[in-house]
């Protein structure tokens, strides 16, 4: 029997891999002074450039599919200097393997084609049809620090995530290596750094080393078995503005966790727990009514679940990607090994209840 979505997954993996070539170059050019931060934020150029490259590949291969992506073209159409900087990066970025580049449909032809590709990400989403969901640079501050960020792409069909791909250029390839939390002035071209995670629904999750050409050999990944929550490691974001870190600490205390948390930006957290570099990922809202964007979770949600984890909101409901561009029916995100998920949710509920009573 043929594997489902084989072609879609290969295109998604190659498209994300090509986009990470661009993001790494932009960061290094900025760090070396080749790209002036006074002109425009390097992450802005990386966002637009990665979205152009990936959307172009999706349009070439799946022209009938819709795309939900974070960026639009209003700013680029107004600012010629920024548009030229983005084009300089997009026009120069190719996979070194010609066959792989041709699978993606080849390079973006010109600035008009670049703008058209970026603008293609304006779908409203919804419960029907095939929908690609893209976050071109997830973890803005991680990117700027030379820390962790991710290029994130998922395919949703009739409201259910079928494929998830995460390109994490600064994660160590070795599953057991410590995750660097410090920033880097220049990200090296290192065979030991840069991971591509991917998953297809019902077929498990894999990781492989990122490359500049064809895809490297994959290996299956699994969440680490955890029987006692006190032995777990919490994985959480760096920025207090993105999730309620005080609540996370209270939850960790209830679970008996004493290990220091792994704090990294972006959906790299999903990839990290999926391969056993952490056990619990929490992202609780900092303000009432906040709705998470679907591009911040779709790829990571599937990868963590296919690696043997459970992913729900704070109330224990599966994340619902069929409600448009946000997770309108969910509040917060809780991901963990399946065997401890109920205990984690109980701790989350207790902490949130106490917070509500305290006013």
């Amino acid at each position: 029997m043929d594997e489902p979505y084989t072609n879609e997954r290969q295109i998604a993996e190659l498209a994300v891999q090509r986009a990470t070539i661009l993001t790494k170059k932009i960061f290094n050019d900025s760090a070396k002074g080749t790209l002036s931060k006074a002109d425009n934020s390097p992450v802005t150029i990386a966002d637009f450039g990665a979205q152009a490259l990936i959307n172009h590949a999706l349009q070439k291969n799946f022209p009938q599919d819709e795309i939900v992506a974070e960026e639009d073209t209003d700013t680029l159409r107004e600012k010629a200097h920024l548009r030229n900087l983005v084009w300089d990066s997009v026009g120069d970025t190719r996979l070194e393997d010609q066959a792989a580049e041709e699978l993606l449909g080849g390079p973006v032809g010109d600035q008009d084609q670049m703008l058209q590709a970026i603008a293609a990400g304006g779908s409203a989403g919804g419960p029907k049809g095939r929908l690609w969901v893209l976050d071109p640079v997830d973890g803005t501050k991680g990117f700027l620090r030379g820390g962790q960020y991710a290029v994130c792409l998922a395919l949703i069909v009739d409201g259910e995530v079928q494929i998830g791909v995460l390109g994490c250029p600064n994660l160590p390839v070795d599953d057991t290596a410590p995750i660097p939390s410090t920033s880097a002035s220049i990200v090296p071209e290192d065979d030991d750094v840069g991971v591509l995670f991917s998953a297809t629904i019902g077929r498990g999750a894999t990781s492989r080393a990122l490359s500049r050409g064809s895809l490297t050999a994959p290996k299956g990944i699994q969440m680490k078995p955890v029987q006692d929550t006190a032995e777990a490691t919490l994985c959480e974001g760096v920025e207090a503005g993105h999730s309620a870190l005080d609540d996370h600490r209270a939850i960790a205390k209830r679970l008996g966790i004493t290990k220091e948390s792994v704090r990294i930006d972006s959906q790299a957290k999903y990839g990290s727990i999926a391969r056993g570099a952490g056990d619990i990922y929490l992202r609780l809202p900092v303000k009432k009514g906040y709705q998470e964007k679907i591009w911040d979770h779709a790829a990571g949600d599937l990868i963590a679940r296919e690696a043997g984890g459970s992913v729900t909101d704070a109330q224990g409901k599966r994340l619902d990607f069929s409600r448009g561009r946000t997770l309108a029916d969910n509040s917060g995100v809780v991901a963990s090994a399946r065997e401890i998920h109920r205990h984690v949710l109980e701790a989350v509920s207790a902490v949130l209840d106490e917070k509500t009573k305290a006013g």
Side-chain angles (χ1 to χ4, degrees):
M1 179 187 290
D2 291 340
E3 292 283 317
Y5 301 109
T6 300
N7 184 44
E8 287 91 339
R9 182 168 174 174
Q10 182 183 29
I11 295 301
E13 290 169 337
L14 285 170
V16 167
Q17 180 159 277
R18 182 171 67 173
T20 64
I21 297 171
L22 176 142
T23 61
K24 287 173 67 176
K25 183 177 187 301
I26 289 171
F27 176 82
N28 286 339
D29 284 351
S30 173
K32 291 183 290 188
T34 309
L35 175 64
S36 171
K37 290 185 181 179
D39 287 331
N40 289 282
S41 168
V43 75
T44 301
I45 299 168
D47 263 322
F48 283 124
Q51 182 161 318
L53 287 171
I54 291 175
N55 284 3
H56 179 70
L58 295 177
Q59 288 184 303
K60 286 287 188 180
N61 284 275
F62 315 110
Q64 303 305 314
D65 292 359
E66 294 189 13
I67 305 171
V68 169
E70 192 169 13
E71 307 301 332
D72 61 40
T73 57
D74 292 349
T75 301
L76 287 184
R77 293 184 187 279
E78 293 170 2
K79 298 183 178 180
H81 181 58
L82 174 58
R83 185 170 66 246
N84 290 336
L85 287 172
V86 176
W87 170 245
D88 287 345
S89 295
V90 170
D92 285 343
T93 302
R94 290 163 176 74
L95 292 170
E96 292 177 354
D97 182 85
Q98 185 176 351
E101 179 69 26
E102 288 175 356
L103 274 175
L104 293 180
V108 180
D110 53 33
Q111 286 198 20
D112 287 340
Q113 202 171 69
M114 177 185 77
L115 291 172
Q116 189 276 330
I118 295 169
S123 171
K128 298 296 183 183
R130 287 168 51 107
L131 181 71
W132 292 92
V133 178
L134 169 64
D135 192 342
V137 177
D138 182 35
T140 299
K141 293 184 178 178
F143 175 87
L144 290 171
R145 284 193 299 267
Q148 299 306 322
Y149 70 96
V151 179
C152 316
L153 182 62
L155 173 64
I156 296 174
V157 180
D158 295 336
E160 292 286 338
V161 185
Q162 304 295 319
I163 295 171
V165 179
L166 297 175
C168 303
N170 294 341
L171 273 183
V173 174
D174 183 352
D175 294 347
T176 63
I179 299 171
S181 57
T182 55
S183 60
S185 57
I186 293 180
V187 177
E189 287 294 340
D190 189 338
D191 290 342
D192 295 329
V193 177
V195 183
L196 186 69
F197 298 99
S198 66
T200 302
I201 187 74
R203 303 289 170 168
T206 65
S207 72
R208 67 179 91 215
L210 281 167
S211 84
R212 299 181 61 85
S214 59
L215 296 171
T216 61
K219 65 176 181 178
I221 55 173
Q222 283 286 320
M223 288 195 71
K224 185 173 58 182
V226 181
Q227 302 302 328
D228 182 354
T229 58
E231 298 300 316
T233 298
L234 181 64
C235 197
E236 59 182 350
V238 177
E239 305 299 328
H242 292 168
S243 53
L245 299 183
D246 287 343
D247 292 344
H248 295 181
R249 282 188 279 272
I251 292 163
K253 185 176 180 180
R254 276 188 169 270
L255 293 170
I257 296 172
T258 57
K259 294 179 184 177
E260 185 176 354
S261 296
V262 176
R263 297 186 63 187
I264 56 176
D265 297 281
S266 82
Q267 287 185 66
K269 292 184 285 292
Y270 280 112
S272 294
I273 66 169
R275 64 177 183 168
D279 306 299
I280 301 168
Y281 163 40
L282 298 176
R283 183 177 169 112
L284 300 183
V286 294
K287 59 183 179 181
K288 189 175 181 180
Y290 177 75
Q291 295 181 5
E292 297 280 351
K293 307 297 189 293
I294 62 173
W295 52 76
D296 284 329
H297 298 282
D301 166 82
L302 181 64
I303 289 166
R305 288 190 289 114
E306 286 297 315
S310 292
V311 184
T312 67
D313 67 8
Q315 286 72 48
K317 296 188 297 182
R318 278 277 310 279
L319 303 187
D320 185 351
F321 295 97
S322 71
R323 305 293 292 168
R325 292 172 70 92
T326 68
L327 295 173
D329 286 349
N330 300 110
S331 177
V333 176
V334 179
S336 72
R338 286 188 188 129
E339 58 266 28
I340 62 169
H341 198 71
R342 177 175 61 84
H343 301 296
V344 177
L345 286 173
E346 288 171 353
V348 169
S349 179
V351 168
L352 294 182
D353 285 348
E354 285 181 356
K355 188 176 180 180
T356 300
K357 289 174 183 175

